[in-house]
Amino acid sequence: MAYLAHSAHLQFLGLIFGFVGLIITACLSGVNDWRIWYLDDQSIISGGLAWVGVWRACFNSHILDSSEFCKSISLTDSFTPPEIAAAQVLCMTAVGVGVVANLVAGYAVRNAYFGVDSGRVRLAFVTAGSLFWLTAACSLVPVLWNMSSVLANLTIDFPPDFYLPPAPIKQEVGPGIAIGICSSVLLIVSGLFLMCYKDPVKTKTDKSIPIEHLNNINVRAESSLDTIKESRDEGVINPAFEMEKNI
């Protein structure tokens, strides 16, 4: 059995990146400041600053009951722009796909480290990497779409109970979009690390030499040592003695 743990360290790092990216993606839809609106009328909105997120719009007020006033944005509202509606759907889809991707990646890393069912380890890593890339796409598409709307200064026709004008004097990209880009990058890198997995090279031990042959080799070696020992015990013949014997 091949020991696969040495070849899965990069994939373990990819699993960590994917988990962190999933947590950030899950928190992304709850961030209120995807867009920062600057308003001219400050009679209700303190400082003329409002935050528009995926699920609600908020601002600080010194007149209304609460210091931070928020109103929910629903998918079925008629004023909801398509980029915010797409963000609501795709962000939730990204969380579901990301959970499945982490489970598959954890299963693959576990099999790689314990050498279980090594024939399917690469398939599991490729599947997990593809799911992480799909998660990144579901997160990145609404982020870039909303960023494009902000840069184009597109308006949102809020109803009167939001206390927001249809168009701000200026709007900027909020931290929520930057967080979404960071989470997508983590998920893309995670999928790349998982996709780079290669099956380890198995080393084969030579088991073709029979035990009898090994025993014969040992016997021959022992006999050679005995011969050398006997020759040393006999000593060297004296040439002068041989000459007197011949005379």
Side-chain angles (χ1 to χ4, degrees), residues 37-59:
W37 278 25
Y38 294 91
L39 308 173
D40 192 17
D41 185 8
Q42 301 183 17
S43 59
I44 298 177
I45 302 173
S46 300
L49 192 65
W51 305 275
V52 180
V54 175
W55 294 101
R56 56 183 181 173
C58 301
F59 58 85

PDB file of all heavy atoms in Angstrom, residues 37-59:
ATOM      1  N   TRP A  37     -24.083  55.080  -0.033  1.00  0.00           N
ATOM      2  CA  TRP A  37     -24.778  56.201  -0.678  1.00  0.00           C
ATOM      3  C   TRP A  37     -24.505  57.497   0.082  1.00  0.00           C
ATOM      4  O   TRP A  37     -24.594  57.534   1.315  1.00  0.00           O
ATOM      5  CB  TRP A  37     -26.289  55.943  -0.704  1.00  0.00           C
ATOM      6  CG  TRP A  37     -26.727  55.051  -1.831  1.00  0.00           C
ATOM      7  CD1 TRP A  37     -25.992  54.120  -2.476  1.00  0.00           C
ATOM      8  CD2 TRP A  37     -28.024  55.025  -2.424  1.00  0.00           C
ATOM      9  NE1 TRP A  37     -26.734  53.493  -3.437  1.00  0.00           N
ATOM     10  CE2 TRP A  37     -27.989  54.032  -3.435  1.00  0.00           C
ATOM     11  CE3 TRP A  37     -29.219  55.723  -2.200  1.00  0.00           C
ATOM     12  CZ2 TRP A  37     -29.106  53.735  -4.223  1.00  0.00           C
ATOM     13  CZ3 TRP A  37     -30.319  55.427  -2.989  1.00  0.00           C
ATOM     14  CH2 TRP A  37     -30.265  54.443  -3.993  1.00  0.00           C
ATOM     15  N   TYR A  38     -24.200  58.538  -0.671  1.00  0.00           N
ATOM     16  CA  TYR A  38     -24.046  59.885  -0.113  1.00  0.00           C
ATOM     17  C   TYR A  38     -25.258  60.711  -0.539  1.00  0.00           C
ATOM     18  O   TYR A  38     -25.532  60.841  -1.744  1.00  0.00           O
ATOM     19  CB  TYR A  38     -22.748  60.534  -0.599  1.00  0.00           C
ATOM     20  CG  TYR A  38     -21.511  59.841  -0.104  1.00  0.00           C
ATOM     21  CD1 TYR A  38     -20.912  58.820  -0.840  1.00  0.00           C
ATOM     22  CD2 TYR A  38     -20.935  60.205   1.109  1.00  0.00           C
ATOM     23  CE1 TYR A  38     -19.773  58.184  -0.379  1.00  0.00           C
ATOM     24  CE2 TYR A  38     -19.791  59.579   1.577  1.00  0.00           C
ATOM     25  CZ  TYR A  38     -19.222  58.570   0.834  1.00  0.00           C
ATOM     26  OH  TYR A  38     -18.093  57.928   1.304  1.00  0.00           O
ATOM     27  N   LEU A  39     -25.981  61.248   0.456  1.00  0.00           N
ATOM     28  CA  LEU A  39     -27.248  61.940   0.213  1.00  0.00           C
ATOM     29  C   LEU A  39     -27.130  63.418   0.569  1.00  0.00           C
ATOM     30  O   LEU A  39     -26.380  63.799   1.486  1.00  0.00           O
ATOM     31  CB  LEU A  39     -28.366  61.280   1.018  1.00  0.00           C
ATOM     32  CG  LEU A  39     -28.489  59.752   0.853  1.00  0.00           C
ATOM     33  CD1 LEU A  39     -29.519  59.201   1.818  1.00  0.00           C
ATOM     34  CD2 LEU A  39     -28.843  59.393  -0.585  1.00  0.00           C
ATOM     35  N   ASP A  40     -27.912  64.197  -0.153  1.00  0.00           N
ATOM     36  CA  ASP A  40     -27.913  65.648   0.086  1.00  0.00           C
ATOM     37  C   ASP A  40     -28.824  66.033   1.243  1.00  0.00           C
ATOM     38  O   ASP A  40     -28.505  66.930   2.036  1.00  0.00           O
ATOM     39  CB  ASP A  40     -28.327  66.365  -1.203  1.00  0.00           C
ATOM     40  CG  ASP A  40     -28.089  67.853  -1.138  1.00  0.00           C
ATOM     41  OD1 ASP A  40     -27.323  68.273  -0.248  1.00  0.00           O
ATOM     42  OD2 ASP A  40     -28.660  68.587  -1.966  1.00  0.00           O
ATOM     43  N   ASP A  41     -29.959  65.349   1.352  1.00  0.00           N
ATOM     44  CA  ASP A  41     -30.948  65.652   2.392  1.00  0.00           C
ATOM     45  C   ASP A  41     -30.534  64.955   3.694  1.00  0.00           C
ATOM     46  O   ASP A  41     -30.512  63.723   3.780  1.00  0.00           O
ATOM     47  CB  ASP A  41     -32.328  65.188   1.937  1.00  0.00           C
ATOM     48  CG  ASP A  41     -33.416  65.593   2.923  1.00  0.00           C
ATOM     49  OD1 ASP A  41     -33.111  66.360   3.867  1.00  0.00           O
ATOM     50  OD2 ASP A  41     -34.569  65.133   2.756  1.00  0.00           O
ATOM     51  N   GLN A  42     -30.232  65.736   4.718  1.00  0.00           N
ATOM     52  CA  GLN A  42     -29.822  65.204   6.011  1.00  0.00           C
ATOM     53  C   GLN A  42     -30.847  65.493   7.097  1.00  0.00           C
ATOM     54  O   GLN A  42     -30.508  65.420   8.285  1.00  0.00           O
ATOM     55  CB  GLN A  42     -28.466  65.793   6.409  1.00  0.00           C
ATOM     56  CG  GLN A  42     -27.351  65.507   5.412  1.00  0.00           C
ATOM     57  CD  GLN A  42     -26.010  66.039   5.866  1.00  0.00           C
ATOM     58  OE1 GLN A  42     -25.819  66.340   7.047  1.00  0.00           O
ATOM     59  NE2 GLN A  42     -25.058  66.146   4.945  1.00  0.00           N
ATOM     60  N   SER A  43     -32.069  65.768   6.721  1.00  0.00           N
ATOM     61  CA  SER A  43     -33.099  66.053   7.717  1.00  0.00           C
ATOM     62  C   SER A  43     -33.464  64.812   8.526  1.00  0.00           C
ATOM     63  O   SER A  43     -33.808  64.909   9.707  1.00  0.00           O
ATOM     64  CB  SER A  43     -34.348  66.616   7.027  1.00  0.00           C
ATOM     65  OG  SER A  43     -34.836  65.685   6.067  1.00  0.00           O
ATOM     66  N   ILE A  44     -33.409  63.659   7.908  1.00  0.00           N
ATOM     67  CA  ILE A  44     -33.713  62.401   8.599  1.00  0.00           C
ATOM     68  C   ILE A  44     -32.460  61.547   8.738  1.00  0.00           C
ATOM     69  O   ILE A  44     -32.230  60.925   9.776  1.00  0.00           O
ATOM     70  CB  ILE A  44     -34.810  61.618   7.845  1.00  0.00           C
ATOM     71  CG1 ILE A  44     -36.107  62.423   7.800  1.00  0.00           C
ATOM     72  CG2 ILE A  44     -35.046  60.261   8.489  1.00  0.00           C
ATOM     73  CD1 ILE A  44     -37.217  61.760   7.017  1.00  0.00           C
ATOM     74  N   ILE A  45     -31.655  61.513   7.721  1.00  0.00           N
ATOM     75  CA  ILE A  45     -30.457  60.660   7.687  1.00  0.00           C
ATOM     76  C   ILE A  45     -29.277  61.453   8.225  1.00  0.00           C
ATOM     77  O   ILE A  45     -28.892  62.483   7.666  1.00  0.00           O
ATOM     78  CB  ILE A  45     -30.187  60.180   6.254  1.00  0.00           C
ATOM     79  CG1 ILE A  45     -31.406  59.414   5.721  1.00  0.00           C
ATOM     80  CG2 ILE A  45     -28.939  59.318   6.201  1.00  0.00           C
ATOM     81  CD1 ILE A  45     -31.301  59.041   4.272  1.00  0.00           C
ATOM     82  N   SER A  46     -28.732  60.994   9.312  1.00  0.00           N
ATOM     83  CA  SER A  46     -27.603  61.694   9.940  1.00  0.00           C
ATOM     84  C   SER A  46     -26.358  61.581   9.067  1.00  0.00           C
ATOM     85  O   SER A  46     -25.964  60.478   8.650  1.00  0.00           O
ATOM     86  CB  SER A  46     -27.311  61.100  11.321  1.00  0.00           C
ATOM     87  OG  SER A  46     -28.440  61.224  12.159  1.00  0.00           O
ATOM     88  N   GLY A  47     -25.742  62.707   8.797  1.00  0.00           N
ATOM     89  CA  GLY A  47     -24.520  62.733   8.016  1.00  0.00           C
ATOM     90  C   GLY A  47     -24.717  62.511   6.540  1.00  0.00           C
ATOM     91  O   GLY A  47     -23.747  62.502   5.782  1.00  0.00           O
ATOM     92  N   GLY A  48     -25.964  62.258   6.112  1.00  0.00           N
ATOM     93  CA  GLY A  48     -26.230  62.034   4.697  1.00  0.00           C
ATOM     94  C   GLY A  48     -25.562  60.791   4.147  1.00  0.00           C
ATOM     95  O   GLY A  48     -25.171  60.749   2.971  1.00  0.00           O
ATOM     96  N   LEU A  49     -25.446  59.759   4.985  1.00  0.00           N
ATOM     97  CA  LEU A  49     -24.755  58.534   4.594  1.00  0.00           C
ATOM     98  C   LEU A  49     -25.666  57.336   4.824  1.00  0.00           C
ATOM     99  O   LEU A  49     -26.235  57.172   5.907  1.00  0.00           O
ATOM    100  CB  LEU A  49     -23.468  58.379   5.406  1.00  0.00           C
ATOM    101  CG  LEU A  49     -22.469  57.319   4.937  1.00  0.00           C
ATOM    102  CD1 LEU A  49     -21.913  57.669   3.572  1.00  0.00           C
ATOM    103  CD2 LEU A  49     -21.342  57.178   5.954  1.00  0.00           C
ATOM    104  N   ALA A  50     -25.831  56.489   3.807  1.00  0.00           N
ATOM    105  CA  ALA A  50     -26.677  55.295   3.898  1.00  0.00           C
ATOM    106  C   ALA A  50     -25.913  54.103   3.321  1.00  0.00           C
ATOM    107  O   ALA A  50     -25.016  54.260   2.479  1.00  0.00           O
ATOM    108  CB  ALA A  50     -27.988  55.491   3.161  1.00  0.00           C
ATOM    109  N   TRP A  51     -26.278  52.887   3.811  1.00  0.00           N
ATOM    110  CA  TRP A  51     -25.646  51.657   3.352  1.00  0.00           C
ATOM    111  C   TRP A  51     -26.705  50.757   2.725  1.00  0.00           C
ATOM    112  O   TRP A  51     -27.777  50.524   3.313  1.00  0.00           O
ATOM    113  CB  TRP A  51     -24.988  50.924   4.507  1.00  0.00           C
ATOM    114  CG  TRP A  51     -24.009  51.759   5.263  1.00  0.00           C
ATOM    115  CD1 TRP A  51     -22.695  51.965   4.980  1.00  0.00           C
ATOM    116  CD2 TRP A  51     -24.291  52.522   6.444  1.00  0.00           C
ATOM    117  NE1 TRP A  51     -22.125  52.795   5.898  1.00  0.00           N
ATOM    118  CE2 TRP A  51     -23.083  53.168   6.812  1.00  0.00           C
ATOM    119  CE3 TRP A  51     -25.430  52.744   7.213  1.00  0.00           C
ATOM    120  CZ2 TRP A  51     -22.982  53.991   7.920  1.00  0.00           C
ATOM    121  CZ3 TRP A  51     -25.343  53.571   8.311  1.00  0.00           C
ATOM    122  CH2 TRP A  51     -24.136  54.182   8.671  1.00  0.00           C
ATOM    123  N   VAL A  52     -26.423  50.267   1.562  1.00  0.00           N
ATOM    124  CA  VAL A  52     -27.344  49.372   0.843  1.00  0.00           C
ATOM    125  C   VAL A  52     -26.660  48.020   0.695  1.00  0.00           C
ATOM    126  O   VAL A  52     -25.583  47.911   0.083  1.00  0.00           O
ATOM    127  CB  VAL A  52     -27.724  49.938  -0.534  1.00  0.00           C
ATOM    128  CG1 VAL A  52     -28.685  48.984  -1.252  1.00  0.00           C
ATOM    129  CG2 VAL A  52     -28.347  51.316  -0.391  1.00  0.00           C
ATOM    130  N   GLY A  53     -27.280  47.003   1.266  1.00  0.00           N
ATOM    131  CA  GLY A  53     -26.753  45.651   1.174  1.00  0.00           C
ATOM    132  C   GLY A  53     -27.625  44.772   0.301  1.00  0.00           C
ATOM    133  O   GLY A  53     -28.449  45.244  -0.487  1.00  0.00           O
ATOM    134  N   VAL A  54     -27.435  43.474   0.452  1.00  0.00           N
ATOM    135  CA  VAL A  54     -28.214  42.515  -0.337  1.00  0.00           C
ATOM    136  C   VAL A  54     -29.604  42.335   0.241  1.00  0.00           C
ATOM    137  O   VAL A  54     -30.588  42.216  -0.498  1.00  0.00           O
ATOM    138  CB  VAL A  54     -27.480  41.166  -0.407  1.00  0.00           C
ATOM    139  CG1 VAL A  54     -28.323  40.116  -1.105  1.00  0.00           C
ATOM    140  CG2 VAL A  54     -26.141  41.339  -1.127  1.00  0.00           C
ATOM    141  N   TRP A  55     -29.722  42.346   1.571  1.00  0.00           N
ATOM    142  CA  TRP A  55     -30.996  42.039   2.208  1.00  0.00           C
ATOM    143  C   TRP A  55     -31.650  43.243   2.875  1.00  0.00           C
ATOM    144  O   TRP A  55     -32.811  43.173   3.253  1.00  0.00           O
ATOM    145  CB  TRP A  55     -30.815  40.931   3.247  1.00  0.00           C
ATOM    146  CG  TRP A  55     -30.432  39.608   2.638  1.00  0.00           C
ATOM    147  CD1 TRP A  55     -29.190  39.058   2.578  1.00  0.00           C
ATOM    148  CD2 TRP A  55     -31.297  38.687   1.975  1.00  0.00           C
ATOM    149  NE1 TRP A  55     -29.217  37.852   1.936  1.00  0.00           N
ATOM    150  CE2 TRP A  55     -30.506  37.596   1.558  1.00  0.00           C
ATOM    151  CE3 TRP A  55     -32.675  38.671   1.701  1.00  0.00           C
ATOM    152  CZ2 TRP A  55     -31.026  36.505   0.876  1.00  0.00           C
ATOM    153  CZ3 TRP A  55     -33.199  37.581   1.019  1.00  0.00           C
ATOM    154  CH2 TRP A  55     -32.382  36.514   0.622  1.00  0.00           C
ATOM    155  N   ARG A  56     -30.933  44.335   3.048  1.00  0.00           N
ATOM    156  CA  ARG A  56     -31.535  45.498   3.697  1.00  0.00           C
ATOM    157  C   ARG A  56     -30.728  46.753   3.415  1.00  0.00           C
ATOM    158  O   ARG A  56     -29.559  46.690   3.013  1.00  0.00           O
ATOM    159  CB  ARG A  56     -31.665  45.289   5.196  1.00  0.00           C
ATOM    160  CG  ARG A  56     -30.375  44.964   5.909  1.00  0.00           C
ATOM    161  CD  ARG A  56     -30.610  44.698   7.379  1.00  0.00           C
ATOM    162  NE  ARG A  56     -29.375  44.398   8.098  1.00  0.00           N
ATOM    163  CZ  ARG A  56     -29.310  44.265   9.403  1.00  0.00           C
ATOM    164  NH1 ARG A  56     -30.399  44.412  10.143  1.00  0.00           N
ATOM    165  NH2 ARG A  56     -28.165  43.989   9.988  1.00  0.00           N
ATOM    166  N   ALA A  57     -31.385  47.902   3.644  1.00  0.00           N
ATOM    167  CA  ALA A  57     -30.756  49.212   3.530  1.00  0.00           C
ATOM    168  C   ALA A  57     -30.820  49.888   4.892  1.00  0.00           C
ATOM    169  O   ALA A  57     -31.861  49.842   5.568  1.00  0.00           O
ATOM    170  CB  ALA A  57     -31.457  50.052   2.471  1.00  0.00           C
ATOM    171  N   CYS A  58     -29.748  50.523   5.313  1.00  0.00           N
ATOM    172  CA  CYS A  58     -29.655  51.085   6.662  1.00  0.00           C
ATOM    173  C   CYS A  58     -29.044  52.486   6.614  1.00  0.00           C
ATOM    174  O   CYS A  58     -28.302  52.834   5.689  1.00  0.00           O
ATOM    175  CB  CYS A  58     -28.803  50.198   7.566  1.00  0.00           C
ATOM    176  SG  CYS A  58     -29.397  48.499   7.769  1.00  0.00           S
ATOM    177  N   PHE A  59     -29.347  53.257   7.645  1.00  0.00           N
ATOM    178  CA  PHE A  59     -28.716  54.558   7.853  1.00  0.00           C
ATOM    179  C   PHE A  59     -28.923  54.965   9.306  1.00  0.00           C
ATOM    180  O   PHE A  59     -29.806  54.449  10.002  1.00  0.00           O
ATOM    181  CB  PHE A  59     -29.288  55.630   6.908  1.00  0.00           C
ATOM    182  CG  PHE A  59     -30.768  55.827   7.017  1.00  0.00           C
ATOM    183  CD1 PHE A  59     -31.318  56.673   7.987  1.00  0.00           C
ATOM    184  CD2 PHE A  59     -31.644  55.181   6.150  1.00  0.00           C
ATOM    185  CE1 PHE A  59     -32.689  56.855   8.099  1.00  0.00           C
ATOM    186  CE2 PHE A  59     -33.014  55.357   6.251  1.00  0.00           C
ATOM    187  CZ  PHE A  59     -33.541  56.192   7.227  1.00  0.00           C
TER     188      PHE A  59
END
